[in-house]
């Protein structure tokens, strides 16, 4: 069974960690009805803003508010400095790995990563073999999910290298907190996140092809209003001051992408796409896709447009490749990982499978290509029926799963129906990589498991979000 969870606010002797001292004093002095009133105010603000997400297959509530917790999570400047170094290292290794597996494949020749994990990976794009995207950068926007287990140790839980979402909640959470709790803000020096949009736009422009104009045209490509993250797409396009487009708004002529406008065609240099690879170009990928742009790949291969993130980055972020990240970092960077990996059993390996089958009630089992908290078993919280179901799945298709020990995710004070109580959290910082360097806005999206005892923070599974305060000491 996992050890007791690390409480980020309260030490084992009951005293409060220095970073949380002012917050703890404020909470102790705040009347309960004030907190309850602010919760209702926050919900009203989010409804007015229209910040919702869709739950596919849920006919009862297709559009939902993500629960927002009004008590911020606090990270010290020193803790953030360590996280930043580890995140920069990790994303550099991801970029080097993807470039290699579509290029010289040195890591495969060295026998560090098994070839079948690359070539049989459903996210591997043979169309990118031997190709180099502009500036030889693949992952321009990464969302790295990090968890904490004690005062000094952070683990990476997952790498999101395709189209990571959630940054709109990071920005909106901060706006709402400033509005509702100005007195609390005035007691802390909180590093700003508001510059994220400027940093993102600077990153995207730096990635423009060398054939672009001095003022590259950037657009955000969305699947449309029925996508679960459409609010975020429209929010970011507005913040960036760029056009929000669908596939039908773009066309390709002579290997150049153009946008239809009321003043005639306008060349597009960078496409921040929020569409999965297989829907981008019906002439190359799924022929039934009405979301993409016919001929887009020809313009991409000609070097006349940049796609953010590059096509084929999913080859680096499934849960089987995750287990090799320490070796990947050592191979390309010659250094030890700054942020730890969760020990991982690869069920494709007979010895690991045997151990997992014998310890299902102790482990977390995940689908290699799963996401959103779906397709996983949390052994200590699972019923006998659920465990036996996963046992059968593992025996039938062991290569489709990995297993990990149940980490005692850290907890933060959270306002729930019964008052202020600890709940488990993770953190998704957003790492921007352009031709002119790496940018990380201090903070990120803290996700919180609102149900007592739950370790699942995903919004689709009832999780909520918090504002993340990095103290600017």
């Amino acid at each position: 069974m996992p050890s007791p969870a690390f409480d980020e606010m309260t030490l084992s002797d009951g005293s409060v960690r220095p970073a949380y001292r002012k917050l703890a004093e404020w909470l102790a002095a705040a009347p309960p009805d004030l907190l309850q009133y602010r919760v209702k105010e926050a919900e009203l603000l989010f409804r007015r803003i229209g910040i919702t997400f869709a739950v596919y297959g849920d006919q009862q509530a297709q559009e939902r508010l993500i629960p927002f917790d009004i008590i911020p999570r606090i990270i010290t400047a020193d803790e953030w400095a360590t996280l930043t170094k580890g995140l920069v290292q990790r994303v550099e290794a991801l970029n080097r790995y993807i470039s290699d597996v579509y290029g010289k494949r040195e890591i495969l020749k060295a026998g560090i990563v098994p070839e079948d994990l690359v070539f049989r990976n459903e996210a591997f794009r043979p169309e990118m073999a031997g190709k180099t995207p502009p500036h030889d950068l693949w992952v321009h926007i990464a969302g790295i999910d990090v968890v904490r287990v004690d005062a000094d140790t952070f683990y990476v839980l997952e790498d999101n290298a395709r189209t990571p979402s959630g940054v709109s909640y990071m920005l909106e959470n901060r706006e709402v907190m400033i509005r509702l709790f100005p007195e609390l803000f005035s007691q802390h020096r909180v590093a700003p996140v508001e510059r994220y949009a400027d940093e993102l736009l600077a990153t995207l422009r730096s990635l423009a092809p060398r054939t672009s104009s001095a003022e590259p045209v950037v657009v955000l490509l969305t699947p449309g209003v029925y996508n679960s993250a459409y609010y975020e797409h429209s929010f970011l396009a507005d913040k960036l001051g760029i056009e929000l487009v669908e596939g039908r708004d773009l066309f390709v002529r002579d290997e150049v992408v153009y946008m239809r406008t009321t003043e005639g065609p306008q060349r597009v240099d960078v496409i921040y796409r929020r569409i999965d690879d297989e829907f981008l170009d019906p002439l190359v990928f799924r022929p039934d896709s009405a979301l993409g742009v016919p001929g887009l790949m020809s313009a991409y291969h000609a070097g006349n447009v940049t796609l953010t993130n590059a096509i084929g980055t999913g080859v680096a972020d499934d849960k089987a490749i995750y287990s090799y990240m320490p070796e990947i970092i050592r191979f390309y960077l010659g250094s030890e990982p700054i942020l730890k990996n969760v020990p991982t059993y690869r069920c494709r390996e007979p010895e690991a499978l045997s151990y997992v089958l014998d310890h299902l009630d102790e482990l977390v089992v995940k689908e290699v290509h799963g996401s959103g908290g779906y397709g996983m078993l949390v052994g200590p919280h699972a019923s006998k029926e659920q465990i036996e179901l996963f046992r059968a799945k593992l025996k039938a298709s062991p290569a489709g799963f990995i297993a990990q020990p149940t980490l005692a995710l850290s907890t933060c004070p959270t306002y729930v129906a019964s008052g202020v109580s600890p709940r488990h959290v993770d953190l998704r910082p957003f790492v921007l990589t352009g031709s002119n360097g790496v940018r990380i806005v201090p903070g990120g999206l803290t996700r919180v498991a609102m149900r007592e005892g739950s370790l699942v923070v995903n919004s689709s599974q009832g999780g909520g979000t918090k504002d993340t305060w990095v103290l600017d000491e």
Side-chain angles (χ1 to χ4, degrees), residues 2 5-6 147-148 157 364 372-373 376-382 406-412 414 416 421-426 447-464:
F6 171 68
V147 297
R148 186 176 194 173
L157 201 59
V364 175
M376 64 185 285
L377 173 81
V378 181
H381 298 161
T406 309
L407 288 185
L409 306 189
S410 64
T411 66
C412 284
T414 303
V416 294
S421 181
R423 292 290 185 268
H424 296 290
V425 294
D426 80 351
R447 301 184 298 178
V448 54
M450 300 300 288
R451 300 189 187 106
E452 185 175 6
S454 174
L455 298 172
V456 182
V457 299
N458 306 79
S459 58
S460 55
Q461 306 292 302

Side-chain angles (χ1 to χ4, degrees), residues 6-314:
F6 171 68
D7 189 317
E8 295 193 10
M9 183 171 83
T10 309
L11 296 170
S12 56
D13 62 3
S15 61
V16 176
R17 291 178 67 225
Y20 274 90
R21 219 163 266 157
K22 291 178 181 176
L23 175 61
E25 291 170 359
W26 185 88
L27 284 171
D33 57 341
L34 172 66
L35 296 179
Q36 196 171 14
Y37 178 71
R38 295 288 170 87
V39 167
K40 290 179 179 177
E41 268 193 299
E43 183 175 331
L44 186 62
L45 283 171
F46 281 120
R47 288 197 182 280
R48 193 174 296 159
I49 294 166
I51 185 165
T52 62
F53 75 103
V55 181
Y56 295 125
D58 186 344
Q59 298 302 317
Q60 301 300 315
Q62 289 189 337
E63 293 288 335
R64 292 181 181 173
L65 284 178
I66 293 182
F68 171 68
D69 180 49
I70 60 171
I71 302 175
R73 180 192 198 171
I74 296 177
I75 297 173
T76 68
D78 287 344
E79 291 164 349
W80 181 249
T82 299
L83 277 171
T84 297
K85 289 176 186 174
L87 293 167
V88 169
Q89 178 195 58
R90 190 144 183 131
V91 173
E92 182 181 353
L94 285 169
N95 269 303
R96 296 274 287 273
Y97 170 74
I98 299 168
S99 181
D100 187 27
V101 297
Y102 287 115
K104 295 180 179 179
R105 297 172 180 164
E106 299 289 353
I107 200 165
L108 306 185
K109 295 172 186 174
I112 292 172
V113 175
E115 289 190 359
D116 66 303
L117 279 185
V118 175
F119 300 131
R120 293 184 183 178
N121 189 324
E122 62 186 36
F124 178 74
R125 297 296 169 206
E127 299 85 359
M128 294 303 294
K131 306 293 184 182
T132 302
H135 310 284
D136 197 18
L137 290 172
W138 297 73
V139 182
H140 316 126
I141 305 169
I144 310 297
D145 293 344
V146 179
V147 297
R148 186 176 194 173
V149 295
D150 59 38
D152 304 307
T153 310
F154 293 90
Y155 283 92
V156 173
L157 201 59
E158 190 170 303
D159 302 296
N160 297 280
R162 306 184 205 194
T163 55
S165 62
V167 76
S168 62
Y169 299 100
M170 175 188 82
L171 297 172
E172 290 287 25
N173 288 353
R174 177 60 53 84
E175 285 192 22
V176 168
M177 285 297 291
I178 290 173
R179 188 165 176 176
L180 294 183
F181 299 98
E183 71 283 4
L184 194 55
F185 256 92
S186 67
Q187 298 176 30
H188 298 81
R189 291 185 60 184
V190 183
V193 298
E194 293 81 7
R195 70 173 189 267
Y196 178 82
D198 294 334
E199 300 279 30
L200 175 56
L201 186 59
T203 297
L204 295 173
R205 284 179 170 162
S206 80
L207 295 165
R210 292 179 174 85
T211 57
S212 69
S213 64
E215 287 291 327
V217 174
V218 182
V219 299
L220 194 154
L221 178 61
T222 176
V225 296
Y226 298 109
N227 183 265
S228 63
Y230 181 75
Y231 169 82
E232 177 158 296
H233 305 167
S234 58
F235 174 88
L236 284 174
D238 182 60
K239 287 285 186 184
L240 293 168
I242 63 176
E243 293 294 333
L244 180 67
V245 299
E246 297 182 28
R248 61 191 175 187
D249 300 316
L250 305 177
F251 67 94
V252 176
R253 185 172 64 207
D254 298 329
E255 298 183 332
V256 174
V257 180
Y258 294 92
M259 171 173 52
R260 293 181 172 89
T261 76
T262 55
E263 297 177 357
Q266 181 180 21
R267 176 173 171 167
V268 172
D269 302 300
V270 180
I271 300 175
Y272 176 15
R273 50 86 172 223
R274 298 296 294 262
I275 293 178
D276 293 339
D277 289 352
E278 57 266 36
F279 297 100
L280 280 171
D281 185 344
L283 301 182
V284 176
F285 302 117
R286 286 184 52 159
D288 61 340
S289 172
L291 303 176
V293 185
L296 180 59
M297 283 295 285
S298 67
Y300 188 49
H301 286 327
N304 292 328
V305 69
T306 298
L307 295 177
T308 295
N309 285 334
I311 290 174
T313 54

